[in-house]
Amino acid sequence: MALIGVFDSGVGGLSILDEALRQLPKNNYIYLADSINAPYGEKSSDWIAARSLALCKYLASEGCEAIVIACNTATAEAIHQIRAELAIPVIGVEPGIKPASMQTQNGIIGVLATEATLKSDKFNDLLATLPSHCQFIKQTGAGLVPLIEAGKADSEETLDLLAKYLEPIQDAGSDTLVLGCTHYPFLRKAIRKLLGDSINLIDTSEAVVRQLSKQLALKNNAVEIKDASSVTFISSKDAGMLLQMAHDLMSINLKLHDLDSRMLSGVR
Ligand code: DGL
């Protein structure tokens, strides 16, 4: 049993926490949402790197034995530095373009992610390793994260913005869409409404949690000694709201866990 930190710019990483509680229920978790600063995706690389490092150091100081950077943007800009500075396993998340290239039938793949992720060296280095017959239609999702943060994932406003972003992906004939931001799995319903059921949606949360599980096993921390886990929700904006959003957005039954919420303090 381990204390695991899960960090995102806001509520997006709840999609990863949901999967972590499903695959690895008998651990304790701290979920840290930097919602006061969301969205990260349009901020500078230096700002994202410095802030992500400060928050991961905070999680380590709280006793976390492993950290999941449940944010594609923070992973792209900061994971190398965070791994260099922390002596615990740090697991990141990146857009699933590699599994998409293996699963596509027609080679046309849409990628919806933040501006910072799509511009990053990490993303472009990975893209350069993929088969040249695959065509990637890259689209930034500016404005979607604030709508999800505001609890409007299923609103008309979100549907309209999403329709605009998905149009080039649909027009190109994509058979696969990579959800390259951890907030976007919460748009599944809206995406299905716009693109139908046949498009293959790629979300890497299962693979990320499998990776976490391997790292915990290496540390011999996978021993389960309790029936239920505790989850502490920490927010830089509104802890009560974060807990409410977790209830609303996550599919796991949070009532089975000991829950706590508090404001982030001491990190600037
Ligand atoms: N959830 C994030 C990601 O996976 C961050 C989005 C944002 O804050 O712009 O990229």
Side-chain angles (χ1 to χ4, degrees), residues 8-13 37-42 70-74 93 113-114 117 145-146 149 180-184:
D8 181 42
S9 64
V11 297
N37 290 306
Y40 277 14
E42 289 134 56
C71 175
N72 292 263
T73 310
V93 49
T114 68
T117 298
V145 165
E149 290 287 315
C181 167
T182 53
H183 281 75
Y184 300 162

Side-chain angles (χ1 to χ4, degrees), residues 3-266:
L3 176 61
I4 299 160
V6 180
F7 149 67
D8 181 42
S9 64
V11 297
L14 292 173
S15 59
I16 305 268
L17 178 65
D18 213 7
E19 184 59 33
L21 288 171
R22 192 166 295 116
Q23 281 187 46
L24 302 167
K26 293 166 187 175
N27 290 287
N28 292 328
Y29 292 86
I30 295 180
Y31 183 84
L32 174 56
D34 193 17
S35 293
I36 196 118
N37 290 306
Y40 277 14
E42 289 134 56
K43 291 190 159 62
S44 74
S45 301
D46 286 352
W47 186 93
I48 297 166
R51 181 70 180 168
S52 303
L53 177 62
L55 293 176
C56 287
K57 280 185 173 170
Y58 168 82
L59 286 172
S61 75
E62 288 287 303
C64 290
E65 293 145 86
I67 293 175
V68 182
I69 306 177
C71 175
N72 292 263
T73 310
T75 300
E77 302 289 14
I79 196 164
H80 294 312
Q81 202 184 342
I82 293 168
R83 281 189 174 142
E85 298 216 17
L86 297 183
I88 54 175
V90 178
I91 294 99
V93 49
E94 52 191 349
I97 50 178
K98 192 169 176 195
S101 73
M102 296 188 293
Q103 291 175 31
T104 180
Q105 299 291 316
N106 69 4
I108 309 173
I109 298 161
V111 186
L112 189 63
T114 68
E115 189 186 328
T117 298
L118 294 179
K119 273 199 324 213
S120 69
D121 290 344
K122 198 165 193 310
F123 175 79
N124 286 292
D125 289 350
L126 178 62
L127 196 61
T129 66
L130 300 180
S132 55
H133 68 264
C134 287
Q135 183 192 348
F136 291 91
I137 319 295
K138 291 172 276 171
Q139 177 65 56
T140 59
L144 292 173
V145 165
L147 286 166
I148 298 163
E149 290 287 315
K152 294 182 180 168
D154 294 326
S155 69
E156 280 302 312
E157 204 182 340
T158 303
L159 209 62
D160 289 349
L161 189 60
L162 199 51
K164 195 175 93 186
Y165 293 150
L166 294 180
E167 198 180 295
I169 291 172
Q170 192 170 29
D171 288 354
S174 311
D175 69 353
T176 304
L177 173 62
V178 175
L179 305 178
C181 167
T182 53
H183 281 75
Y184 300 162
F186 297 124
L187 298 176
R188 253 171 208 281
K189 223 171 30 190
I191 293 171
R192 288 277 175 229
K193 215 180 216 174
L194 292 163
L195 299 183
D197 288 334
S198 60
I199 192 154
N200 184 18
L201 301 182
I202 307 266
D203 148 21
T204 55
S205 49
E206 263 185 58
V208 169
V209 176
R210 273 200 306 274
Q211 187 56 30
L212 169 66
S213 174
K214 275 190 206 152
Q215 294 283 342
L216 293 177
L218 286 177
K219 285 190 76 195
N220 293 323
N221 267 331
V223 195
E224 296 178 349
I225 54 168
K226 223 177 113 185
D227 285 337
S229 65
S230 73
V231 188
T232 301
F233 291 91
I234 304 180
S235 172
S236 61
K237 189 176 180 187
D238 183 338
M241 170 83 143
L242 174 61
L243 188 54
Q244 185 56 50
M245 295 280 283
H247 279 292
D248 294 349
L249 292 171
M250 293 169 69
S251 56
I252 205 96
N253 186 355
L254 277 175
K255 292 198 183 92
L256 299 175
H257 307 271
D258 289 333
L259 303 178
D260 189 15
S261 67
R262 62 182 147 97
M263 288 296 290
L264 176 68
S265 64

